[in-house]
Amino acid sequence: MASAKILESKKAKVAALTEVLKNSTAGVLVDYKGISVADDTLLRKELREAGVTYVVEKNKILEFAFKEAGLEGLCDVLSGTTAIAYTDGDQTAAARILGKYSEKYNGEKFTLKAGFVDGEIYDAKGVVALSKIPSKEVLLAQLLGSLQAPMQNLAATLQALVDKKNSEEAA
């Protein structure tokens, strides 16, 4: 009886994880062995504040969930210790935060394995590239700044012409 209960529990866990993955815009898999408890606590806090869920799950559970969610390409990296960070918000948040921790440990104790964005699978190098992309808010601010610069230059030039004309009339 206990094994049937356990099997049903695992099936429910896979179904719940599958549903979460289907509704996620992005996710990143990491190998977390060797990270200190203090760093893990800080990492989880930073991820939570960014709207990213971070869980440690058994590789077999992840494998079944990935297959059911259409993310079979992630099954190749399921070995050793595996944690997954996923979000339905900012697509680069998980990669950015986890990439920072991977750099802190020089990719030795805390390594990026793979990830996905909108169903597209990325290998470790792809996740590193994603981690370098600024947040959507930063990108929009940069765009706005670049759009405002020509207008500010034009306004400054026009003001200089007006000031020059006023100084010529006064003289």
Side-chain angles (χ1 to χ4, degrees):
M1 283 309 259
S3 63
K5 263 187 169 178
I6 292 171
L7 183 60
E8 286 305 314
S9 169
K10 287 182 180 181
K11 284 182 180 179
K13 192 180 272 193
V14 168
L17 186 56
T18 300
E19 193 60 31
V20 166
L21 291 171
K22 285 180 179 178
N23 293 324
S24 296
T25 56
V28 177
L29 294 168
V30 296
D31 184 339
Y32 61 90
K33 68 176 176 273
I35 187 171
S36 70
V37 173
D39 278 345
D40 187 56
T41 303
L42 288 172
L43 170 66
R44 288 175 184 269
K45 181 179 184 277
E46 195 172 339
L47 288 167
R48 208 173 23 257
E49 289 171 353
V52 178
T53 303
Y54 179 80
V55 294
V56 174
E57 191 54 75
K58 292 185 178 194
N59 289 332
K60 265 304 184 197
I61 300 286
L62 287 170
E63 180 180 348
F64 287 126
F66 289 151
K67 286 180 179 177
E68 288 185 30
L71 299 168
E72 296 88 2
L74 294 172
C75 294
D76 298 340
V77 298
L78 294 177
S79 63
T81 55
T82 304
I84 183 169
Y86 53 86
T87 184
D88 60 357
D90 183 357
Q91 296 171 330
T92 62
R96 222 177 24 258
I97 295 167
L98 295 171
K100 181 175 68 173
Y101 277 82
S102 179
E103 285 178 7
K104 177 180 180 177
Y105 284 103
N106 295 322
E108 292 176 10
K109 292 181 179 181
F110 189 86
T111 56
L112 302 171
K113 289 183 170 187
F116 68 93
V117 174
D118 289 331
E120 187 173 337
I121 307 296
Y122 292 89
D123 62 2
K125 288 180 183 177
V127 175
V128 169
L130 281 174
S131 74
K132 306 295 183 200
I133 298 173
S135 70
K136 183 178 181 180
E137 291 78 19
V138 171
L139 288 172
L140 288 173
Q142 289 173 346
L143 176 64
L144 184 61
S146 66
L147 291 174
Q148 284 181 334
M151 287 186 237
Q152 288 174 338
N153 289 341
L154 176 62
T157 304
L158 292 174
Q159 186 62 46
L161 287 172
V162 168
D163 292 345
K164 182 178 178 184
K165 186 171 183 174
N166 286 342
S167 66
E168 287 175 356
E169 288 176 359

